[in-house]
């Protein structure tokens, strides 16, 4: 049974909202719903959910743009986002993870399978709570508690998965990790993510902190070091 975890479902299909709300509440979650992305962002600011289930194809504002706006909110830095979509094209999946999604699940939704994925996300979160909350590397201070990176005293706000990638590499400074290692440690074994997603996230982190930290080891993977 979940311990008062809060879930926001954003989908333009009332039948899906009702189905997911019923199953989540049966598991003990507190649930709110929205029929479009604009309303979803409004509710999220007040509700501060632990998890958002987000459809991609919606009127007024699609799920990808909604996810971008949600990831810009510092109060939602710890919130998981799972995309629910009927689209199966690779570019849709890549776009979802580029904007900070934690998982991507194709419709039709199977409630039991979805609950399993949700529980896996929360288990992973709980297992990380015992880790050191703050790491200093060069002029970077990476603060897990606030999900904020400080560089020479200036605050940098990285989307959730970019932050977790940087934090993980900083924990193991100097060690090389393959794309598969990073997928396993950042996204977990319960989520299917394309290897190129790692490359995209590394590129975006470099754009924010500069080129002198994450090195590419050709044919192997990535490592964090101070050049």
């Amino acid at each position: 049974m979940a311990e008062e975890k809060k879930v926001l479902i954003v989908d333009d299909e009332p039948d899906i909202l009702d189905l997911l709300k019923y199953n989540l509440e049966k598991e003990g979650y507190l649930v709110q719903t929205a029929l479009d992305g604009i309303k979803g962002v409004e509710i999220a600011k007040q509700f501060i959910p632990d998890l958002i289930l987000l459809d991609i194809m919606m009127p007024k504002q699609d799920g990808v743009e909604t996810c971008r706006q949600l990831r810009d909110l510092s109060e939602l830095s710890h919130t998981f986002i799972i995309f629910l979509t009927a689209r199966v094209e690779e570019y849709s999946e890549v776009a979802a993870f580029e904007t900070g999604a934690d998982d991507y699940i194709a419709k039709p939704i199977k409630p039991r399978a979805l609950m399993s994925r949700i529980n896996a996300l929360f288990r992973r979160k709980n297992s990380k709570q015992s880790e050191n909350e703050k790491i200093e590397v060069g002029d970077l201070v990476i603060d897990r508690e606030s999900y904020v990176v400080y560089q020479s005293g200036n605050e940098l706000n990285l989307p959730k998965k970019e932050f977790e990638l940087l934090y993980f590499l900083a924990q193991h400074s100097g060690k090389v990790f393959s794309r598969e290692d990073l997928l396993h440690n950042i996204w977990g074994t319960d989520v299917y993510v394309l290897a190129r997603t790692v490359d995209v996230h590394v590129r975006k982190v470099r754009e924010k902190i500069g080129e002198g930290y994450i090195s590419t080891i050709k044919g192997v993977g990535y490592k964090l070091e101070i050049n």
Side-chain angles (χ1 to χ4, degrees):
M1 182 73 69
E3 297 179 0
E4 298 296 299
K5 295 289 187 184
K6 297 190 289 185
V7 180
L8 171 63
I9 312 168
V10 186
D11 197 298
D12 64 328
E13 298 183 55
D15 289 347
I16 290 179
L17 290 181
D18 291 343
L19 173 67
L20 296 179
K21 188 172 188 291
Y22 170 78
N23 281 277
L24 285 160
E25 288 181 339
K26 190 169 64 173
E27 292 291 321
Y29 290 93
L30 301 176
V31 182
Q32 290 199 22
T33 63
L35 283 165
D36 63 73
I38 295 173
K39 187 64 176 178
V41 173
E42 292 176 3
I43 293 174
K45 290 177 180 178
Q46 303 298 321
F47 188 46
I48 314 297
D50 299 285
L51 167 69
I52 298 172
L53 299 177
L54 182 59
D55 187 25
I56 286 186
M57 298 175 65
M58 293 185 292
K60 298 184 181 180
Q61 180 170 286
D62 68 22
V64 172
E65 176 58 30
T66 300
C67 186
R68 287 196 186 98
Q69 294 181 18
L70 292 168
R71 285 303 184 213
D72 284 339
L73 300 173
S74 59
E75 61 268 36
L76 299 180
S77 61
H78 290 74
T79 299
F80 290 113
I81 296 178
I82 297 179
F83 272 109
L84 307 176
T85 179
R87 303 185 69 165
V88 294
E89 305 96 332
E90 180 178 311
Y91 70 83
S92 294
E93 182 176 345
V94 171
F97 285 115
E98 281 186 0
T99 54
D102 295 282
D103 204 349
Y104 181 99
I105 299 176
K107 294 179 178 179
I109 304 301
K110 299 177 181 178
R112 290 181 63 182
L114 177 62
M115 293 302 151
S116 176
R117 300 277 274 268
I118 290 172
N119 292 334
L121 281 176
F122 284 125
R123 280 198 305 272
R124 232 171 40 244
K125 178 180 180 180
N126 292 336
S127 70
K128 290 180 179 178
Q129 288 181 341
S130 61
E131 297 176 352
N132 292 332
E133 294 291 343
K134 191 177 293 186
I135 296 176
E136 297 186 22
V137 182
D139 63 350
L140 297 176
V141 177
I142 308 166
D143 188 343
R144 174 176 282 280
E145 184 174 4
S146 62
Y147 265 70
V148 171
V149 177
Y150 298 92
Q151 186 170 40
S152 300
N154 298 314
E155 182 176 318
L156 306 176
N157 287 302
L158 275 65
K160 189 169 184 290
K161 279 294 179 277
E162 292 174 29
F163 178 91
E164 291 182 352
L165 174 64
L166 177 60
Y167 187 89
F168 178 78
L169 289 172
Q171 279 185 305
H172 308 280
S173 183
K175 182 176 179 180
V176 180
F177 290 92
S178 68
R179 290 171 178 80
E180 291 72 22
D181 290 333
L182 294 172
L183 288 172
H184 174 80
N185 284 282
I186 307 303
W187 282 268
T189 56
D190 300 288
V191 181
Y192 174 73
V193 186
L194 298 171
R196 63 181 291 193
T197 299
V198 173
D199 302 331
V200 170
H201 281 71
V202 168
R203 174 176 56 79
K204 291 192 171 186
V205 172
R206 283 172 172 160
E207 289 173 356
K208 295 181 173 83
I209 68 173
E211 295 288 336
Y213 283 97
I214 301 177
S215 300
T216 301
I217 310 303
K218 191 171 181 180
V220 183
Y222 297 104
K223 70 175 178 178
L224 186 142
E225 60 183 355
I226 302 174
N227 296 327

